Amino acid sequence: MSSAAEQETAGAFRRVTRPEPGAAPGRRERIAPPPVWPGAPNPLGARFRTGPDGRPGTNFALWAGGAEAVELCLFEEDGTETRCPLTEQTHEIWHGFLPGVLPGRRYGYRVHGRWDPWTGARWNPAKLLLDPYARAVDGDFADFGRPPEVYGHVRDWPQQQVADTVRDDRDSAPYVPKGVVVHDEAGTAEHDEWLDDRRPKTPWADTVLYELHVRGFTKRHPGVPAELRGTYAGLAHPAALDHLRRLGVTAVELLPVHQFAHEDHLLRRGLRNHWGYNSIGYFAPHAGYAATGTAGQQVGEFRRMVHALHEAGIEVILDVVYNHTAEAGEFGPTLSLKGIDNRGYYRLEGDPRRYTDYTGCGNTLHVVQPQVLRLLTDSLRYWVTEMGVDGFRFDLAAALARSFHDVDMLSPFLAVIAQDPVLRRVKLIAEPWDIGAGGYQVGAFPPLWTEWNDRYRDAVRDFWRGALPDVRDLGYRLSGSSDLYAWSGRRPQASVNFVTAHDGFTLRDLVSYESKHNEANGEGNRDGTDDNRSWNCGAEGESADPEITALRRRQLRNLLTTLLLSTGVPMLVAGDEMGRTQHGNNNAYCQDNETGWVDWSVLEDPHWRELFALTARLIALRHRHPVLRRRAFFSGRAQDADGLRDLAWFTARGTEMTEQDWYAPTGSLGMYLSGGEIPGRDERGERVTDESFLVVLHAGADPLDFVLPGAPWARRYEVVVDTSREEQSAAPGTVHKGNAMVTVRPRSVLLLKVAS
């Protein structure tokens, strides 16, 4: 606790540092508030509707448990602020109806209460707060470089160890974005048309995910008009959609599009948060990605983007960050929840001044609390029912699954999702870990959920760089990771297989760098993981050596082919299919520039066009052949009258793998996939059959003589893919007899189809 002298000085500081009229941008004179009618406590947020006298207006409702008073603050175009006390309170929800407040009006809240950080109370009415339910946000938290006024405490207090206990009474309104009243389209012709939009509804087993950044994907796209690049409208442009169609992906997984803020430490270094994992508005599309305007227009633009993707047969999955907010810890800014009810929204330590941090970002939302659970589930349902999205990928999902301390798969959050009639029907993807004790939960999430499978990533990377001691783990990963998911009754689609993600090296950098090169992030190259499991093929960084560059391209073909032939749900990262590089930066979260944007000029190089062609051909092959996208795990037993097992493993000698072979050091593996009878039935109840395939993966540096299994497995094989070939736009077509010996070139994949 600060001394009496410090508190007295703090009071003086608050008195003398309030900006004088005209001293700060957007300084406003307050005017008399309009009448406020009682309104209704539900729904939460700002909802435009017709009032009891037939006049249009807006109902405002804010949950603020423990608050002593709440002021609704309305803002004119010139910045003039009108403060309207909300005097009605129902179950800790403060509410009121204001006639004449129309869509496009900007607003925020000031919440009054005790300032007592030692008990977790951090109310400060000098700070304008963003409505957690705001559907649109106007302005950017970086417009003023995160000034000290946006902090509830005196950020620059001389005794930094107690700075968070000294209240800052300067007005933050000139420096923070405002919520925007948005027209509720329910019941209108436009909304009814939206509801009639046919979602692709792609089954999980048929899904191919494509992780992309709305801004980064189109910012440098030459076919997208300059004024639309980096926006929702840009992603909806035919030039962007054409690439997705030609590639053949079925769903885009968008990096965060909730309104987010930029961290102070980045702004001080002249950088900005690019990825967006710093949410502050769970209902609002990030205003910085809008081409049409930020006074509510971003909502319609986002909807039109979703509609365009659906028309192209592509689902939209949002990467959502419900585990923490941009308000960070006790020394972070006061932007929304911290000033509404700090103790109600955040997990606090035994010392309530401090925040429990399972996320590495300073705070963790207290999802066990009913009002927090309501906020998150209301947000999820809104994005599904009113914005049209098809699913979610939950960042650090283990933090959401914690009860009071431990990760609990019967936690309130997971239980609510499981029974919700809207949310249980959409795609749910967990990043199944957080940074807290017991936070690594790969394979533990319940049915309905799929998971990012980092064990797949690590095994495939290690195999192709020659670091696996044997192929036991690789066998599990190629065949759907039954060791992780079958025990709980889940299916192969529970595993989202990936080799790269936004967090880490791009695929091209994975074969070009052995060490991270994050100097541009301004953190002394200390940020980002050191566990890259990469191999630079003999030289660090870009190389002019034709042998090295050829080997790197072959390794890219190997990695992509392995991914797209594996059982489970494959996920690609935008640009990997055409050799995108971040020049060794494996943590480009703050690189809102050419480093973090997709470089479309690489397609001018015929080598990278060939890589795109191979990726598209592999995806098309996957779509055509159900044996490559099984809905049930392999049994390893005979499935048909021919006596062939549905899955068999072979050594280079052409013999089936024994237990001893699984434990022996080797850099090669043969996988036979039988299409004789695949579990499940088609839409007409008919049995599903397919062609059979043999996949030979060889990570060794020398050629491998591989004996192709003969009868009863096959009499002849036709080569479909040979990654040793530089030209990949068409199938090789070479035919080999069963029991024949073929030479598999160094570090390559051979995919063969059983021929009649």
Side-chain angles (χ1 to χ4, degrees), residues 666-685:
T666 182
S668 62
L669 181 65
M671 178 174 68
Y672 184 96
L673 305 172
S674 173
E677 182 168 352
I678 300 170
R681 294 290 184 264
D682 65 16
E683 294 178 350
R684 297 184 178 184

Side-chain angles (χ1 to χ4, degrees), residues 581-597:
T581 177
Q582 292 178 169
H583 307 290
N585 191 321
N586 75 350
N587 190 35
Y589 78 105
C590 57
Q591 298 299 318
D592 187 9
N593 50 41
E594 285 80 1
T595 298
W597 303 337

Side-chain angles (χ1 to χ4, degrees), residues 60 64 82 103 142 145 175 179 192 194 202 276 291 422 430 453 584:
F60 294 89
T82 304
Y175 308 99
D192 291 343
W194 171 259
T202 306
V422 172
N453 187 352

Side-chain angles (χ1 to χ4, degrees), residues 714-737:
R715 289 179 295 175
R716 294 193 309 160
Y717 295 89
E718 178 185 348
V719 176
V720 179
V721 173
D722 180 356
T723 64
S724 70
R725 295 163 54 100
E726 192 75 66
E727 205 280 335
Q728 288 286 332
S729 58
T734 306
V735 176
H736 300 278
K737 292 183 178 181

